[in-house]
Amino acid sequence: MNKLPLIIATVGLLSAASWVSAQVANISTTAASSFNALNLTTTMQNASPTTSFSNDGYTMLVIKTGASAVSATLKTQAQSISQNGYGTTALSDIPLAIPANSVVLAGPFPQARWNTSQGTVNVTITPTVAGVSVSAVSQAQ
């Protein structure tokens, strides 16, 4: 069975605002118990073109755009996945088109597919524009 990360886009609800595998997380991961969904700005950080975050397998990525639309690419680390009775399925990066003035929630990210050897998930964001922010939220069991 091919499982894709949950991707939810909220358009207009809130206003404004090549990868090296040795990359360490450049945004912090917040525990869901301290995450306030009604005030995203408290945990959001400025996005960089090569964003990465620590992943425990239950982590969700929040991307908030401002006046400009952006593209994000979730970088897979596994080439394929095999499941008894289902065979082998090739895996690839997942591109996201994020409209202006939107909030997108992506994840969770199963570690076998997404984690680098440092335990991070890599995401590229283009173009580099002001007003794009990100947050990683762990909803660990």
Side-chain angles (χ1 to χ4, degrees), residues 18-24 77 115-120 122:
S18 85
W19 200 263
V20 177
S21 65
Q23 180 75 32
V24 295
Q77 300 301 308
N115 278 19
T116 65
S117 59
Q118 289 74 35
T120 61
N122 296 335

Side-chain angles (χ1 to χ4, degrees), residues 2-7 63 71-77 91-98 106-110 113-114 122-124:
N2 188 7
K3 293 185 179 181
L4 297 176
L6 169 70
I7 300 171
I63 304 172
S71 295
T73 303
L74 306 172
K75 308 299 269 181
T76 189
Q77 300 301 308
L91 300 175
S92 60
D93 297 346
I94 296 181
L96 303 175
I98 306 169
F109 300 92
R113 176 176 181 178
W114 299 102
N122 296 335
V123 181
T124 58

Side-chain angles (χ1 to χ4, degrees), residues 25-88:
N26 62 4
I27 64 170
S28 60
T29 301
T30 303
S33 61
S34 64
F35 179 69
N36 182 349
L38 298 177
N39 187 5
L40 290 174
T41 59
T42 60
T43 59
M44 301 300 282
Q45 300 164 56
N46 291 332
S48 70
T50 53
T51 296
S52 60
F53 57 91
S54 295
N55 179 39
D56 59 8
Y58 303 100
T59 305
M60 305 290 285
L61 176 67
V62 181
I63 304 172
K64 181 180 175 186
T65 60
S68 300
V70 298
S71 295
T73 303
L74 306 172
K75 308 299 269 181
T76 189
Q77 300 301 308
Q79 300 301 312
S80 63
I81 189 169
S82 297
Q83 179 85 25
N84 287 338
Y86 293 98
T88 301

